[in-house]
Amino acid sequence: PGLKIVDTQSGDWTREGGRKVMQAYLQHYAAGELQGIFTASDEEMIGARQALEAANRTDLNGWFASGDGQLEGIEAVTEGFAVATTQFPPLYGAASLQAAIALSQGVTLPATAYALDLKTFSCLTEDDCKKAKAYVAQLKATGLQF
């Protein structure tokens, strides 16, 4: 209740796109006019962060939510820049690839929806933050991004 979407633009799931969209928002909206930002990807969020830092704006820190759950996105959560990121590409990627291979081999798939477990990273609780930091450490130790 009371949530009002004031603007939407595509950042094309890229850092550069996220940076450009945020630069435009910063020119259009004064500090305090935006209360939260959702980006479709962590790459867009990272680009938006670059634009905020370049403009010396901190009024939106802690009010970003994103998807991807990549290393830098989760780090943004543990640093307090973002409130949450949800990891879905690695989980849906395998199921999508298996379905694509089956379809290419002539298999008819049932018309069902696949619901896979998602991992959401936040620091809303101390326990959640510990889990997010542990996952960041695991990613860094293995050299993976997801």
Side-chain angles (χ1 to χ4, degrees), residues 27-115:
Q27 290 178 11
H28 188 265
Y29 298 100
E33 285 189 296
L34 295 176
Q35 297 176 343
I37 302 285
F38 171 78
T39 60
S41 74
D42 287 345
E43 286 294 311
E44 288 177 338
M45 179 180 61
I46 293 162
R49 183 179 196 174
Q50 292 169 343
L52 285 166
E53 289 171 350
N56 294 315
R57 291 269 301 264
T58 58
D59 53 300
L60 287 168
N61 290 3
W63 293 104
F64 274 79
S66 184
D68 283 344
Q70 73 184 54
L71 175 60
E72 288 180 86
I74 302 168
E75 286 177 320
V77 170
T78 62
E79 295 165 1
F81 176 77
V83 69
T85 184
T86 299
Q87 187 180 67
F88 51 84
L91 301 173
Y92 282 101
S96 298
L97 185 57
Q98 290 169 355
I101 291 169
L103 289 170
S104 74
Q105 296 172 344
V107 175
T108 301
L109 298 175
T112 59
Y114 292 93

Side-chain angles (χ1 to χ4, degrees), residues 74-85 120-133:
I74 302 168
E75 286 177 320
V77 170
T78 62
E79 295 165 1
F81 176 77
V83 69
T85 184
T120 297
F121 301 93
S122 76
C123 281
L124 296 175
T125 69
E126 188 176 326
D127 189 49
D128 287 343
C129 205
K130 284 180 186 177
K131 289 177 185 176
K133 288 177 180 180

